[in-house]
Amino acid sequence: MTEHEGFIRQCLALAEEAARAGDEPFGALLVVDGAVRLTARNAVLTESDPTRHAELTLVSDACRRFDAATLALATIYTSTEPCMMCCGAVYWSRIPRVVFGCSAAALGAIAGGSLVASSRELFAHGQRGVEVIGPVLEHEATDVHRRFWPRS
């Protein structure tokens, strides 16, 4: 098992929790020095707020709880590659690393995404780098989405 797989599996468990709660299946972790410091899951449907993505919620909470030095050491793990909105939150928070399970392209193919973009491509437009690692355990991560999204 790679250093990232355990954290991605925790994200997938959060994604499953979100689905059981009536939300879309997305989960995220903030890891600093190998320890999970925060978790979040999608709450778009239950909170009637399209911005309540797991990653955006996580970054917002992290910025309120941790100083810039701590954020500079952090990694965001996420069940699915972050969207444009969530990439913006990661970028502006100055968190330097994202590790994801399911790619945006795979999610788009499963869920019929209308705005599919690679996080690597999005971060490439910034003035500072954000390291992107993934997909990690993509087969497991896509299974979460296949179980949730209706077949077209």
Side-chain angles (χ1 to χ4, degrees):
M1 178 181 333
T2 71
E3 65 182 288
H4 303 300
E5 290 177 357
F7 293 127
I8 291 297
R9 285 195 173 105
Q10 288 179 57
C11 292
L12 299 177
L14 289 165
E16 294 282 5
E17 286 178 20
R20 283 192 301 275
D23 281 300
E24 296 166 340
F26 299 92
L29 309 171
L30 183 80
V31 174
V32 180
D33 294 329
V36 175
R37 302 292 291 273
L38 289 174
T39 66
R41 63 183 200 208
N42 184 289
V44 166
L45 300 174
T46 56
E47 293 188 17
S48 299
D49 180 348
T51 68
R52 299 307 289 166
H53 291 195
E55 302 89 344
L56 182 57
T57 299
L58 186 78
V59 170
S60 181
D61 288 349
C63 287
R64 286 192 304 273
R65 293 181 188 205
F66 302 111
D67 62 19
T70 301
L71 294 177
L73 300 172
T75 299
I76 290 189
Y77 285 86
T78 182
S79 60
T80 305
E81 188 170 14
C83 72
M84 287 181 184
M85 175 180 68
C86 294
C87 284
V90 170
Y91 182 83
W92 293 115
S93 73
R94 305 191 72 74
I95 293 170
R97 187 174 312 97
V98 174
V99 181
F100 67 86
C102 178
S103 68
L107 174 63
I110 294 166
S114 62
L115 187 58
V116 177
S118 159
S119 61
R120 282 182 181 87
E121 184 177 320
L122 295 169
F123 288 130
H125 293 281
Q127 292 181 350
R128 68 169 185 83
V130 175
E131 181 183 8
V132 178
I133 299 169
V136 174
L137 299 175
E138 189 165 35
H139 181 73
E140 291 178 38
T142 56
D143 283 348
V144 172
H145 290 294
R146 283 190 187 95
R147 287 190 298 273
F148 180 81
W149 301 98
R151 300 259 178 207
S152 25

